[in-house]
Amino acid sequence: GQQLNQSPQSMFIQEGEDVSMNCTSSSIFNTWLWYKQDPGEGPVLLIALYKAGELTSNGRLTAQFGITRKDSFLNISASIPSDVGIYFCAGQLHYGGATNKLIFGTGTLLAVQP
Amino acid sequence: EAQVTQNPRYLITVTGKKLTVTCSQNMNHEYMSWYRQDPGLGLRQIYYSMNVEVTDKGDVPEGYKVSRKEKRNFPLILESPSPNQTSLYFCASSYGRTSGSFYNEQFFGPGTRLTVL
């Protein structure tokens, strides 16, 4: 099955630093999503992007839908310890009857040292 | 509280012993899906269901079965588990198809960690 290339695989940073991660695909998506997974929990939606070039913020998080529709990035500013977790990008395909199908990235593990 | 529940949360079993992981949602969602999560591979879709009695294969369906007899429940069945099915499994649900382009947010359960010896 198709997967998205997500980088970096892991990041170990100091509290207060900014973080950037990105996702690339060989295919075009109609929607890009960013999820966060806390330890022992399921993924939770952070940001949804619907149009090429769109830049959306959610608090300290900012994400962009790439112009080519084949990539997206997520920035976290002024990181805090509770930002720790695994961040996943996901692309949504619209085809046939499976309009809710998601293709997930491989994940970025973020560790924040106080 | 709106939620997706999965049971059990942890399961250790042996090769070949049939098992079922239950998934239930209380949000009246049409769409339900099962994913498995493996290190370095992200989440991969196993099966999904657009509505009651409507199921279809995802990207990695081999060795799994599902059923959707009721709207709220979507059990995952492993008829003869094997060690390569050791993984973290997530159930998710959302509203179904819309005419617009907005994303119907998928809500995930807490996960079931399965170990097959």
Side-chain angles (χ1 to χ4, degrees):
Chain A
Q2 185 182 5
Q3 275 186 292
L4 303 179
N5 296 314
Q6 187 172 344
S7 64
Q9 270 192 311
S10 59
M11 303 181 73
F12 299 89
I13 62 171
Q14 297 283 332
E15 183 176 0
E17 287 185 30
D18 296 344
V19 169
S20 184
M21 60 191 79
N22 67 79
C23 246
T24 59
S25 168
S26 57
S27 302
I28 289 172
F29 288 108
N30 294 328
T31 305
W32 279 94
L33 306 151
W34 285 92
Y35 277 86
K36 182 193 178 199
Q37 182 180 12
D38 290 327
E41 306 277 339
V44 174
L45 182 66
L46 298 173
I47 292 179
L49 302 157
Y50 301 109
K51 292 190 296 188
E54 179 181 352
L55 187 70
T56 296
S57 293
N58 178 6
R60 294 178 295 105
L61 277 61
T62 302
Q64 184 158 28
F65 192 139
I67 291 292
T68 65
R69 295 168 63 191
K70 293 182 178 180
D71 63 332
S72 177
F73 74 75
L74 175 70
N75 285 342
I76 305 173
S77 63
S79 58
I80 59 178
S82 62
D83 289 335
V84 163
I86 303 176
Y87 291 79
F88 290 101
C89 62
Q92 185 182 21
L93 300 170
H94 291 194
Y95 70 93
T99 57
N100 278 18
K101 180 176 176 66
L102 295 180
I103 305 296
F104 279 88
T106 48
T108 295
L109 173 65
L110 177 63
V112 180
Q113 185 166 359
Chain B
E1 179 190 357
Q3 60 184 348
V4 179
T5 56
Q6 294 178 228
N7 282 293
R9 293 291 310 275
Y10 302 91
L11 179 60
I12 300 175
T13 189
V14 295
T15 298
K17 185 176 181 182
K18 180 179 178 180
L19 66 92
T20 300
V21 183
T22 64
C23 173
S24 183
Q25 51 92 6
N26 62 2
M27 295 170 277
N28 201 36
H29 284 162
E30 296 88 4
Y31 184 93
M32 297 186 75
S33 182
W34 276 103
Y35 296 87
R36 60 178 289 173
Q37 182 179 0
D38 301 291
L41 295 177
L43 285 89
R44 294 177 294 167
Q45 190 179 54
I46 302 171
Y47 269 94
Y48 65 93
S49 169
M50 293 297 290
N51 215 322
V52 174
E53 302 292 1
V54 180
T55 63
D56 208 345
K57 296 177 181 178
D59 295 317
V60 288
E62 293 76 24
Y64 304 95
K65 285 174 56 177
V66 293
S67 68
R68 187 92 183 272
K69 293 183 169 50
E70 305 164 287
K71 197 172 187 178
R72 63 182 293 127
N73 296 323
F74 191 45
L76 179 70
I77 303 155
L78 285 72
E79 294 271 3
S80 182
S82 63
N84 65 11
Q85 292 178 298
T86 292
S87 188
L88 180 58
Y89 292 86
F90 288 101
C91 180
S93 74
S94 71
Y95 289 111
R97 218 180 308 180
T98 67
S99 58
S101 62
F102 285 94
Y103 170 61
N104 290 325
E105 180 178 352
Q106 287 190 34
F107 294 87
F108 285 81
T112 295
R113 186 165 291 282
L114 172 66
T115 301
V116 183
L117 302 174

